[in-house]
Amino acid sequence: MNYIKEQNGKLWLTEDERENLKISYRIKEIIYSERSPFQHVMILDSYDFGRMLVLDGVVQTTSIDGHIYNEMIAHVPLSLHPSPKKVLIIGGGDCGAAREVAKYEEVEEIHLVEIDELVVRACKEHLPEVSGNLSDPRVQYIYKDGVQFVKDRVNTYDVIIIDSSDPIGPAQVLFEYDFYKSVHEALKEDGMMVCQSQSPIFHMDVLKQTYANIRHLFPHVHVYTATVPTYPGGLWSFTLGGKQPISFERLNTFSKQTKYANADVLNQCFHLPQFMKEHLQS
Ligand code: SAM
């Protein structure tokens, strides 16, 4: 618990997983704090970002900016796929991505495979701004390791969303080549996957490796970005892999009720800054 400290009567959460950069948030109240077999799960109420989910001292999602990440990880693949009926979300225990996927009437089943049941319980109860108290009957909660779960599924899903935490602890395996290979096999012939591929500013090595892994398996790969204030560096990357060519014109008819995503944002998110283009080409 040494990431929460009191200083001059004020409570601060300090993310200190980086050697030379420590980001601190002033906290109003610790709403929930429990240790699961996988990690320390907290819901904190902060001054600037409202309630937030914190795992092992690292902010995962907040009431103020969680929708940016969740809309971008869900609406890009869902609006690009010609007929998304069966969707798998790996990780995503805050339920925010599932909430966005549930906006598609054509989706018949949403399998949310989260290793840690405590994250789902905590977010449903204490973080409704992100989870939306999701109670859609199409969502099936499966509390398993995503790597093991996806191994047994062949030719099953239209869209797979990998909504993982950082590549440390239980999520490390979700960034490895063998896992993406199972994801590729679990997708149908016109299937599409997306994963969060970390900060282009601070984790270019992870982004490059993820891009290389996915390019090795999928013939059509596109990286896109969004700005999420609570993630280090703000600028965040996502990598999309498709088994079939992707028709971007579909984005022009996007019309879901959202706070961040719209047809303009979805179209422009694929235009990468120069340094990213250069790194990904090298
Ligand atoms: N939006 C967040 C971000 O980018 O920081 C991530 C959201 S979500 C809370 C990440 C979830 O992945 C966590 O709840 C964690 O328990 C889950 N997770 C980590 N490793 C996993 C694994 N191997 N299988 C399934 N879920 C996993």
Side-chain angles (χ1 to χ4, degrees), residues 36 38-39 41 53 55 58-61 66 69-70 73 89-95 113-117 119-120 123 142-149 162-166 168-174 179 196 198 231 236 238:
S36 79
F38 305 99
Q39 54 210 347
V41 181
L53 169 68
L55 298 178
V58 178
V59 175
Q60 303 290 316
T61 188
Y69 172 92
N70 286 318
I73 203 165
I89 300 169
I90 295 177
D94 55 65
C95 304
V113 178
E114 162 63 61
I115 204 166
D116 195 344
E117 184 172 0
V119 175
V120 175
C123 291
I142 301 155
Y143 298 112
K144 280 196 178 147
D145 181 349
V147 173
Q148 296 309 320
F149 178 86
I162 304 159
D163 180 10
S164 69
S165 22
D166 296 340
I168 35 171
Q172 195 167 349
V173 283
L174 301 180
F179 168 64
Q196 67 95 349
Q198 302 281 109
Y231 295 163
W236 209 248
F238 303 83

Side-chain angles (χ1 to χ4, degrees), residues 218-243:
F218 290 84
H220 307 282
V221 183
H222 303 270
V223 172
Y224 62 95
T225 62
T227 300
V228 187
T230 45
Y231 295 163
L235 186 67
W236 209 248
S237 77
F238 303 83
T239 303
L240 182 78
K243 288 190 170 181

